[in-house]
Amino acid sequence: MRFVRLDTPKPISKIGLGTWQFGSREWGYGPDYERRAAEIVRRALDLGVTLFDTAELYGFGRSERILGAALGDERAKVVVASKIFPLLPVAPVVQQRAVASASRLGVDGIDLYQVHQPNPVVADTTTMRGMRSLQDVGLVGEVGVSNYDLRRWRFAEAALGRRVLSNQVRYSMIDRGPEEDLIPYAEQAGRIVIAYSPLAQGFLSGRYDATNPPAGAVRRANPYFLPENLARGAGLIATLREVADAHDATPSQIALAYVLRHPNVVAIPGASGVEQMERNAAAAEIDLTDDEYAALVAAAHAFRPVTGLAAVPRMIRARLGK
């Protein structure tokens, strides 16, 4: 396993484990899931993964409970990250919700506590006042944000009066917005970009095409999985397969290696089983050549999916089977 080269109390692995699926019925949570989740977490620990990300919103607290139980005595050795959903993120609420998350996780302190998304009404001034108090009493180690643009990330830092270590954002080969400003800022300022959906919810795995779309409700709601977009992505998947063959790897591993090529980026893909966890962790060891990276960049730029408002009528037709 490789780690981010930053001064943090605990090392942060380049590949972490995202646990949105823990306790979430839309991802298949059921009676047997907690046992499988524990197996995934234990294998991640064996492989050197140190970053485990959850949120109070995931499964309405179930994810935090499942992750805390699965980590057991290892909780103090790894970076446990959670997120507050900013429904009313004023200072007293932030403090109260952190206590609740720590209790569900079974930890004395949350290593990285993040604001799940920016609140359009409540300023970060009061939110970060609550975060600063949590740091002062030792309940929170590092503060992070999620889905923030660069201006608001920097404002949050000014409001905290300390570093806001990380910004967790959607980043993959087909969601490259963070490359414009967030990643350069992280590298310049000694911060971290945490990439969620680094495989674009499986689009980059090569498992799906226009004749074999995904069946799950979460992916069906993603316009990338429209038959038209799956067809348009054929060239990108072909390039991923070509680079993967050169490394005896999978397209998913190459897609992860693409985002991890940036030194201040870590990725938190989910895992539905132990084997997927093993493949994800192995991606941290893949070194893409300059030519391979350039080919991936070109293929990613050539992919022009139908998204936004233009995708809405197509998604409705796809749902109706027309």
Side-chain angles (χ1 to χ4, degrees):
M1 181 54 63
R2 293 177 178 175
F3 300 87
V4 179
R5 295 180 179 177
L6 283 182
D7 180 22
T8 54
K10 301 175 186 177
I12 298 175
S13 54
K14 289 282 283 179
I15 286 285
L17 176 63
T19 64
W20 177 15
Q21 70 275 28
F22 287 11
S24 300
R25 297 191 186 282
E26 60 268 31
W27 285 109
Y29 172 75
D32 192 48
Y33 203 100
E34 293 189 25
R35 177 189 60 79
R36 284 199 291 135
E39 292 173 352
I40 294 167
V41 169
R42 283 196 295 269
R43 187 58 180 141
L45 291 167
D46 291 341
L47 295 166
V49 172
T50 63
L51 175 61
F52 294 84
D53 181 80
T54 183
E56 65 176 9
L57 186 64
Y58 299 164
F60 300 103
R62 284 193 297 266
S63 175
E64 290 177 322
R65 291 191 184 94
I66 293 169
L67 176 60
L71 286 170
D73 293 340
E74 301 297 314
R75 286 178 293 226
K77 302 177 184 178
V78 299
V79 177
V80 178
S82 193
K83 296 183 284 292
I84 176 175
F85 187 71
L87 182 60
L88 184 64
V90 296
V93 173
V94 171
Q95 295 163 18
Q96 179 187 41
R97 303 266 279 280
V99 170
S101 282
S103 177
R104 287 190 292 268
L105 286 161
V107 297
D108 295 327
I110 302 172
D111 299 294
L112 174 62
Y113 197 43
Q114 305 152 96
V115 183
H116 207 142
Q117 61 189 45
N119 186 294
V121 178
V122 179
D124 289 306
T125 307
T126 181
T127 302
M128 291 300 153
R129 186 163 64 247
M131 289 288 195
R132 188 165 59 249
S133 297
L134 289 167
Q135 284 186 309
D136 288 344
V137 299
L139 187 62
V140 164
E142 298 283 356
V143 172
V145 293
S146 183
N147 299 305
Y148 274 45
D149 61 22
L150 179 57
R151 181 198 63 81
R152 189 145 182 181
W153 185 5
R154 297 181 75 166
F155 180 83
E157 282 206 310
L160 183 66
R162 301 163 184 170
R163 72 177 179 184
V164 173
L165 177 65
S166 60
N167 192 356
Q168 185 176 144
V169 293
R170 185 186 301 274
Y171 176 45
S172 71
M173 287 181 64
I174 58 177
D175 292 297
R176 299 183 304 278
E179 294 176 359
E180 297 177 8
D181 54 4
L182 296 181
I183 293 174
Y185 172 72
E187 293 179 1
Q188 172 265 320
R191 306 291 185 263
I192 299 171
V193 168
I194 302 176
Y196 72 80
S197 290
L199 301 176
Q201 292 189 343
F203 183 93
L204 298 170
S205 69
R207 293 173 53 196
Y208 309 108
D209 57 35
T211 62
N212 179 38
V218 175
R219 291 188 176 94
R220 285 203 313 269
N222 185 334
Y224 284 144
F225 292 100
L226 284 169
E228 181 177 349
N229 285 338
L230 288 166
R232 291 186 180 196
L236 172 57
I237 300 302
T239 302
L240 277 167
R241 292 190 189 282
E242 182 180 347
V243 176
D245 288 344
H247 290 269
D248 192 23
T250 66
S252 293
Q253 289 175 315
I254 298 303
L256 288 172
Y258 173 95
V259 302
L260 296 180
R261 200 169 194 262
H262 300 282
N264 288 59
V265 173
V266 303
I268 51 168
S272 59
V274 168
E275 290 184 0
Q276 186 177 9
M277 184 67 252
E278 292 171 342
R279 291 193 297 270
N280 290 345
E285 304 299 327
I286 296 175
D287 290 312
L288 299 172
T289 67
D290 290 342
D291 287 346
E292 289 170 339
Y293 185 73
L296 293 169
V297 169
H301 278 282
F303 175 52
R304 293 287 188 270
V306 179
T307 58
L309 292 176
V312 173
R314 292 172 170 85
M315 293 184 70
I316 293 173
R317 289 197 296 270
R319 286 289 185 92
L320 296 176
K322 296 180 179 181

